[in-house]
Amino acid sequence: MTKQEDNKAVVVRWFTDFWGETCDLSVVDEIAAPGMLLQYSLHEPRRGRDDIKAFMTDFRAAFPDLNFWATADLIAEGDYVVGQWEGGGTHTGPAFGDFLAGSLPAATGRTMRFTGTTVLKVIDGRIVEEIGLDDGVAALTQLGLMKAA
């Protein structure tokens, strides 16, 4: 396999095991670099395995049905892999205060569904960066944290 194919395989596993329908946090220790950066427009940047695991634990507690899935083939060049996705979930869990635009009280019952594009940097089989641009306006509007124009 080429370097790009190897990197795509790492990202497929990450998208499936970390962001997919069920989350296996052990994948963080296996394929995330110790100082990995996880950055999306909806949340404060996260750095390091423990911070990333804490983020996902809280996110999935608040949105137990959280799920993200690919919507296009991955593109790889050098150390970078780009993926398009769609996802969301329903807020039926505890209060959630991780959104930059505000907090949700417990169990609002609101559902978010939105899309995004993510660029991941993979070096020696480990993800060192995941930087994504998501449709945060759609998610925050659906959750009642932003008003529609």
Side-chain angles (χ1 to χ4, degrees), residues 12-36:
V12 165
R13 184 162 179 232
W14 182 255
F15 282 173
T16 302
D17 293 349
F18 184 74
W19 288 109
E21 189 172 358
T22 58
C23 180
D24 177 1
L25 290 179
S26 69
V27 75
V28 176
D29 294 321
E30 294 174 31
I31 61 175
M36 179 186 164

Side-chain angles (χ1 to χ4, degrees), residues 14-141:
W14 182 255
F15 282 173
T16 302
D17 293 349
F18 184 74
W19 288 109
E21 189 172 358
T22 58
C23 180
D24 177 1
L25 290 179
S26 69
V27 75
V28 176
D29 294 321
E30 294 174 31
I31 61 175
M36 179 186 164
L37 171 65
L38 177 69
Q39 183 174 337
Y40 282 89
S41 61
L42 284 171
H43 311 278
E44 288 286 341
R46 301 301 183 127
R47 184 165 301 271
R49 292 173 178 160
D50 290 341
D51 196 23
I52 290 168
K53 285 190 262 187
F55 160 74
M56 186 55 80
T57 297
D58 292 345
F59 204 8
R60 289 198 181 259
F63 294 85
D65 64 344
L66 189 68
N67 187 19
F68 294 91
W69 55 92
T71 59
D73 290 338
L74 294 174
I75 300 168
E77 183 69 33
D79 294 331
Y80 294 93
V81 179
V82 178
Q84 294 179 313
W85 50 266
E86 182 177 342
T90 304
H91 180 235
T92 58
F96 188 68
D98 192 73
F99 292 120
L100 291 174
S103 299
L104 294 171
T108 64
R110 293 182 178 261
T111 298
M112 62 177 179
R113 187 169 178 138
F114 59 108
T115 61
T117 302
T118 300
V119 179
L120 299 99
K121 185 174 184 179
V122 182
I123 297 178
D124 296 327
R126 300 232 182 218
I127 300 169
V128 297
E129 288 181 349
E130 177 178 356
I131 299 175
L133 180 58
D134 49 43
D135 186 1
V137 171
L140 295 173
T141 301

